[in-house]
Amino acid sequence: MIKNLSLTSRLTIFFTLVAATVVLGLGWLFMASADRHFLDLDRMALDDKRQLIEDILANSNSLEDARWRLGESLGHHHGLLVSIKNSSGQTLFKSKDFAFQDKPLLSVHGKVDLALQTLKSGSSEFHVIQFQAVAKYNQEEILTASLAIDAEHHQEFLDELQSSLAIYALFATMVSGVLGWIAAHQGMAPLRAMRSRAAEVSGQQLEGRMPVDAVPIEMADLARELNQMLDRLENDFRRLSEFSSDLAHELRTPISNLLTQTQVTLSIKR
């Protein structure tokens, strides 16, 4: 199938494939960088909340004081879920929508980034970290805190970005294909000029030559070789013409004498 395609078509396909590969590669790299950037943002946000919780626990004088401080500091953060338990499993503080401990956490996409994990609960996706802390009012008891931040708005942005990149990649590939065809067609113009010159060469017109100076360097050697071939053909054709003329001249006198003798012989009375 490819062997039957013209050189212009082959170059166009090659340019299109190269452009598609480059665009898709850059799109994948951009998506990966954006995903990594959002992970870093969520990690920093969760780390700030971790420091806040540690400070609250370090300055709380009682369990009720710790609960009140945590509620005042963490109860108004949209998309932030917190759960703090002691070693015996009793809940010190828990956000209203925090339900991870009631069901197994499912990791989606297999994304685990150090202490930050991307987990799924139902149809929602969260970035979660877990750490241990000690409260001032009971320093012998180790508390386990889980922090989760909703990653839905990040995922929506990534989905929109992926759709935009897909449309751009398709458009860029089509434009690259058209530009590749134009470039290949223009690049083949010297070959078409050489073909036109070759079509003008005939037995009566052998002086036509290929335009060596008007073609690219890659085609100059071919044009030069074709011109040398035409020079050889012209010389051989000229020698053949001269030989034919000499042969006709050499044969003219004997044939004329033979005709004369034949006419004289036929004119004698038998």
Side-chain angles (χ1 to χ4, degrees), residues 40-264:
D40 292 337
L41 290 178
D42 288 344
R43 184 190 297 106
M44 289 188 293
L46 291 173
D47 188 62
D48 290 339
K49 301 309 177 188
R50 178 186 62 82
Q51 294 179 7
L52 176 61
I53 292 174
E54 290 177 345
D55 291 340
I56 292 175
L57 293 175
N59 294 283
S60 297
N61 296 319
S62 64
L63 176 61
E64 290 73 16
D65 184 30
R67 286 177 175 172
W68 182 82
R69 289 172 178 263
L70 291 171
E72 288 294 321
S73 301
L74 304 175
H76 307 289
H77 290 274
H78 177 70
L80 179 66
L81 304 179
V82 183
S83 176
I84 303 176
K85 291 184 177 182
N86 57 21
S87 56
S88 61
Q90 296 177 346
T91 301
L92 170 63
F93 178 83
K94 185 178 74 171
S95 300
K96 180 178 63 174
D97 298 328
F98 196 99
F100 293 125
Q101 72 277 14
D102 298 330
K103 58 182 69 176
L105 300 180
L106 302 177
S107 177
V108 295
H109 311 309
K111 293 188 287 187
V112 178
D113 187 18
L114 296 178
L116 180 67
Q117 295 182 342
T118 301
L119 304 174
K120 185 175 182 181
S121 177
S123 59
S124 301
E125 198 170 293
F126 295 85
H127 292 156
V128 182
I129 63 171
Q130 292 181 338
F131 63 96
Q132 292 181 335
V134 177
K136 177 182 177 181
Y137 59 87
N138 188 358
Q139 297 185 359
E140 295 180 357
E141 185 177 48
I142 297 178
L143 303 175
T144 301
S146 299
L147 288 178
I149 188 170
D150 191 358
E152 182 179 1
H153 59 291
H154 289 169
Q155 191 60 43
E156 290 177 354
F157 175 81
L158 290 175
D159 292 341
E160 293 178 0
L161 179 61
Q162 185 176 5
S163 300
S164 300
L165 287 177
I167 296 174
Y168 172 77
L170 179 61
F171 178 76
T173 301
M174 294 176 59
V175 172
S176 298
V178 174
L179 294 178
W181 181 86
I182 295 175
H185 187 265
Q186 291 298 112
M188 294 298 106
L191 281 179
R192 292 193 295 272
M194 293 173 63
R195 182 190 63 183
S196 300
R197 290 291 184 89
E200 296 174 356
V201 176
S202 63
Q204 292 75 28
Q205 188 176 357
L206 291 174
E207 65 275 6
R209 294 296 181 270
M210 302 299 154
V212 178
D213 297 333
V215 298
I217 298 177
E218 293 81 3
M219 299 181 184
D221 292 337
L222 175 61
R224 195 175 294 107
E225 292 295 331
L226 289 175
N227 288 338
Q228 293 177 0
M229 180 191 69
L230 291 174
D231 290 338
R232 293 192 297 270
L233 289 176
E234 186 177 11
N235 292 332
D236 294 340
F237 191 82
R238 185 178 64 255
R239 287 198 298 267
L240 181 61
S241 297
E242 292 175 353
F243 173 76
S244 299
S245 299
D246 294 340
L247 182 62
H249 178 72
E250 293 295 332
L251 291 176
R252 185 179 298 112
T253 300
I255 292 176
S256 178
N257 294 334
L258 181 60
L259 288 174
T260 301
Q261 294 177 4
T262 301
Q263 291 175 355
V264 171

Side-chain angles (χ1 to χ4, degrees), residues 20-31:
T21 302
V22 172
V23 172
L24 291 177
L26 289 176
W28 176 84
L29 181 61
F30 188 76
M31 286 293 298

Side-chain angles (χ1 to χ4, degrees), residues 79 193 267:
S267 63

